[in-house]
Amino acid sequence: MSTSPDTPKPEQPEPETGTQVFAIHGADPEVQAYAMAKYSRSALSMKESLSELNAQKAEKFLNTFYFQYGHRSIADLAHIAMAIESLSLLAATIVVDEQRWDGQERSTRYQNFKKSGYFTPDFASDAEAAQLYRDTIQFLFAEYENFSEGMFRYLEAQTPKPADMKQDAYERTLRARAFDLSRYLLPLATNTSLGQIVNARTLETQVSRLLSHTHKEVRELGQKLKDAAREPSYNVNHKAMRELIADIREQNPELAAKAEEQLLREVRVSPTLVKYAEPNQYEIETRKQLQQAATEIMKDAPIDPAQEVDLLEPDPLEIELATTLLYQGSHYSYRQLRKAVESLTADQRNEIVDLGMANRGPHDELSRAFSAGQPFRFDILMDIGGYRDMHRHRRCVQIHQPYTALHGFAMPEEMAAAEVDDRYQQTMQRAAQAYNALAKKKVGAPPSSAGQGRLGSVGAPPSSAGQGGLDSINALTESEANAQYVLPLAYRKRTLFKMDFAEVVYISEIRTTPQGHFSYRNVAWQMYNEVAGKHPSLRQYFRVTDVSEPVDLLKR
């Protein structure tokens, strides 16, 4: 059968080229997000999309699809590296409190923080408070330096250097262990630094959350993060590029001008995707109302004693939601709050849940307290230093309570062995007195000493009537926020960790290894024992290290 020359030939399929995989470098974060988003709206390849795009097109696209149509997943495609330097330890724990966060912070275990400096909040015209604050922080830093050196000498005397170990490695290892101990004296005001690589959606959420916080330092950090995303970024190659352009200019000024335009152009990493990040009124108003509800329901009841790690029994969803919503605005244990919630009528419990929903806007995600239903929930009361390590387990849902002096402080057993426990306790009590004075609180005598196990708990929670409400953060005042900065890392805070079985196993295994810090090793071991006690047939699946076994400090 023949065809005439005018007969159209059937369309032939494109030849198969095979799967292509390549990394991308050099595209601005928002341009790259735009190019990837075009996969859903265009047949162009990534290389073709990137070659036709520029920042203006990306901004126009994002303004339309991200803000007008609500396609927020586009922001997941723009990844941004940022450095945050000279922020307080207190602020750092809040900055990193994102479940989709990747980054690193300076370690209090492996670095000497005596020269890092500290954050000073604004005391306005209260010169007396400002002086008390400075005196307390400087005293704590002096004690930190004293204990760092003293504990190193103590460990050196207890742990002779092996013949086959170099002196510098020996000293470096023991100093890290000494920092493990002396870090308990560092106040939350201590400056640190961190780096983060997050997508633009996480950054937008982070900025909004920080702008909504109770602490002025944190609110200002939120604004600085927003500004940094929209202003010209630091380009590590600029110096080398300028030298290259100078060489080109000697040969060809016109070519040098073109090179300068391309190589030294200003790059703003996320000028569009975070520009509308503002304080979250849902979070601000809900926090106030739930704190008020917790205060009214608990009626200044004393804080009941609680174990360090408490594996909670399953609750009806309504009970769990109401209790968790109240938990984040108080200092009571989950069990004590749950008992109060169970005594309420169903309508009263629903009112608490309603408070968690009432201020939610059309684009607000539900607050973290509504992440409920996990089979393993641990109410953990531990020192702030150890909490900062446990805080890194972002697969967990974490519900935090505020920093306080109400729960006493932890004391490593080495302090008693080195015969410096009296001085350590006096240091902690001075910090607590400053905290109470700065917060304008009227309190009784400091809690008495009550050492417990591997990591002593010094100062049980107050048991006298009325003490429970002293640290209520309903309508947190500036003085109460400022006072938290003088608390050393030895002081204890409460956090609710919710997780699945795989995460329990993971934390128990990785956090009980001999290389870990003794504080979180103890917590992870208790988590394992709690689960194994209630589910004995599952004990065999945990590959944990018994924390009671001696640890060779030089092999950590």
Side-chain angles (χ1 to χ4, degrees):
M1 179 178 174
S2 62
T3 59
S4 69
D6 296 329
T7 303
K9 295 180 179 180
E11 191 171 308
Q12 297 296 316
E14 291 292 323
E16 294 185 10
T17 58
T19 302
Q20 297 184 43
V21 179
F22 51 91
I24 301 167
H25 173 73
D28 296 356
E30 287 194 354
V31 171
Q32 184 164 299
Y34 175 19
M36 291 188 174
K38 286 196 72 175
Y39 273 133
S40 68
R41 296 169 179 83
S42 168
L44 293 177
S45 71
M46 178 63 65
K47 293 177 182 178
E48 289 170 332
S49 294
L50 287 170
S51 67
E52 75 159 22
L53 292 181
N54 55 43
Q56 288 76 26
K57 285 185 178 180
E59 181 178 359
K60 182 179 179 181
F61 171 85
L62 294 169
N63 275 322
T64 300
F65 285 90
Y66 188 76
F67 297 112
Q68 293 183 26
Y69 298 160
H71 293 292
R72 299 189 67 201
S73 61
I74 295 170
D76 294 341
L77 305 173
H79 283 75
I80 300 158
M82 308 185 85
I84 308 171
E85 299 182 344
S86 295
L87 74 164
S88 71
L89 290 174
L90 185 151
T93 63
I94 297 159
V95 168
V96 306
D97 190 32
E98 293 285 339
Q99 287 185 289
R100 296 182 296 267
W101 189 86
D102 294 303
Q104 289 287 327
E105 182 188 345
R106 286 184 65 195
S107 171
T108 53
R109 298 187 63 196
Y110 300 108
Q111 295 191 47
N112 188 339
F113 273 65
K114 69 180 181 182
K115 295 181 180 179
S116 66
Y118 59 88
F119 172 78
T120 301
D122 182 7
F123 288 97
S125 59
D126 193 341
E128 183 179 353
Q131 188 61 50
L132 173 60
Y133 181 90
R134 285 192 296 271
D135 290 347
T136 305
I137 298 296
Q138 289 169 6
F139 166 72
L140 289 172
F141 267 95
E143 289 296 274
Y144 167 73
E145 187 171 1
N146 252 321
F147 274 84
S148 293
E149 187 61 28
M151 295 313 296
F152 170 73
R153 296 303 173 194
Y154 165 77
L155 296 173
E156 187 180 40
Q158 299 296 311
T159 315
K161 183 182 80 66
D164 61 348
M165 191 175 193
K166 293 183 178 180
Q167 183 67 26
D168 60 343
Y170 169 73
E171 292 187 5
R172 184 171 59 251
T173 302
L174 286 189
R175 287 203 180 277
R177 174 60 174 168
F179 290 147
D180 273 357
L181 301 167
S182 62
R183 78 173 188 176
Y184 282 90
L185 293 107
L186 285 172
L188 281 168
T190 306
N191 281 340
T192 186
S193 297
L194 61 87
Q196 66 177 34
I197 301 176
V198 296
N199 65 48
R201 176 154 46 163
T202 298
L203 179 61
E204 182 189 32
T205 303
Q206 182 186 49
V207 167
S208 178
R209 181 174 56 80
L210 298 182
L211 291 173
S212 311
H213 202 265
T214 54
H215 289 63
K216 184 178 180 181
E217 179 198 10
V218 178
R219 295 193 298 272
E220 291 178 347
L221 270 173
Q223 186 60 49
K224 289 177 180 178
L225 276 171
K226 181 177 179 180
D227 293 343
R230 303 180 67 199
E231 294 172 354
S233 58
Y234 170 72
N235 189 329
V236 68
N237 295 312
H238 263 197
K239 182 179 178 181
M241 293 300 184
R242 289 186 187 280
E243 293 174 354
L244 174 62
I245 291 167
D247 292 340
I248 296 173
R249 185 170 286 112
E250 292 180 1
Q251 304 298 323
N252 189 328
E254 183 179 349
L255 181 59
K258 291 181 179 180
E260 184 172 13
E261 182 180 352
Q262 290 297 317
L263 298 178
L264 299 182
R265 68 182 182 86
E266 293 180 342
V267 175
R268 291 167 170 78
V269 292
S270 189
T272 309
L273 293 171
V274 301
K275 68 179 180 181
Y276 294 125
E278 299 294 343
N280 188 318
Q281 294 305 313
Y282 169 45
E283 182 174 342
I284 294 170
E285 294 304 318
T286 301
R287 179 174 60 231
K288 291 178 182 177
Q289 292 174 12
L290 287 172
Q291 288 165 356
Q292 181 64 37
T295 300
E296 292 175 0
I297 290 169
M298 299 308 294
K299 297 182 174 62
D300 283 342
I303 296 176
D304 292 342
Q307 59 195 75
E308 186 176 42
V309 177
D310 186 8
L311 176 58
L312 303 162
E313 303 84 6
D315 290 322
L317 184 57
E318 295 80 2
I319 297 290
E320 180 181 351
L321 290 176
T323 305
T324 305
L325 286 163
L326 297 176
Y327 180 95
Q328 59 195 337
S330 76
H331 293 296
Y332 296 98
S333 70
Y334 184 95
R335 284 189 183 276
Q336 190 171 358
L337 287 165
R338 180 174 63 189
K339 184 177 180 181
V341 168
E342 287 173 336
S343 70
L344 302 175
T345 66
D347 286 343
Q348 289 172 323
R349 288 195 289 269
N350 288 340
E351 287 179 19
I352 298 171
V353 179
D354 287 344
L355 288 178
M357 294 279 199
N359 297 287
R360 186 184 177 203
H363 301 296
D364 290 322
E365 295 182 11
L366 282 174
S367 70
R368 190 179 297 178
F370 285 95
S371 298
Q374 292 81 358
F376 296 95
R377 299 173 302 141
F378 296 90
D379 192 3
I380 298 178
L381 181 64
M382 68 184 304
D383 62 88
I384 298 171
Y387 148 74
R388 291 175 69 248
D389 293 311
M390 290 291 292
H391 189 205
R392 298 189 181 110
H393 291 282
R394 302 182 212 289
R395 276 181 55 190
C396 303
V397 173
Q398 300 181 29
I399 309 296
H400 305 289
Q401 290 189 352
Y403 295 110
T404 179
L406 278 176
H407 302 307
F409 53 90
M411 183 176 71
E413 64 180 12
E414 287 88 348
M415 298 297 179
E419 299 182 346
V420 294
D421 49 325
D422 286 344
R423 179 172 178 171
Y424 179 90
Q425 293 185 51
Q426 291 167 9
T427 299
M428 293 301 153
Q429 288 165 358
R430 174 170 168 176
Q433 290 164 1
Y435 165 80
N436 289 319
L438 290 168
K440 316 296 185 189
K441 298 183 185 300
K442 296 178 181 179
V443 295
S448 60
S449 171
Q452 293 179 356
R454 177 80 179 104
L455 189 66
S457 168
V458 180
S463 57
S464 58
Q467 286 271 355
L470 282 174
D471 219 9
S472 169
I473 56 166
N474 179 49
L476 184 71
T477 66
E478 199 73 23
S479 62
E480 289 171 324
N482 291 345
Q484 292 178 2
Y485 287 100
V486 303
L487 290 173
L489 299 187
Y491 272 88
R492 308 199 307 169
K493 80 178 293 289
R494 198 188 301 279
T495 306
L496 184 63
F497 286 81
K498 303 182 180 186
M499 65 195 77
D500 58 23
F501 178 67
E503 187 68 0
V504 179
V505 173
Y506 176 75
I507 292 175
S508 299
E509 290 181 354
I510 194 172
R511 293 301 187 186
T512 57
T513 58
Q515 294 79 13
H517 190 277
F518 48 83
S519 174
Y520 66 64
R521 288 190 74 208
N522 192 47
V523 167
W525 179 253
Q526 291 182 64
M527 290 173 66
Y528 154 70
N529 276 326
E530 286 278 307
V531 174
K534 293 185 179 181
H535 305 277
S537 65
L538 300 178
R539 182 186 297 268
Q540 61 183 313
Y541 302 117
F542 288 79
R543 297 181 298 189
V544 294
T545 303
D546 189 339
V547 299
S548 65
E549 295 177 356
V551 173
D552 185 343
L553 299 184
L554 299 179
K555 291 184 179 179
R556 298 185 61 204

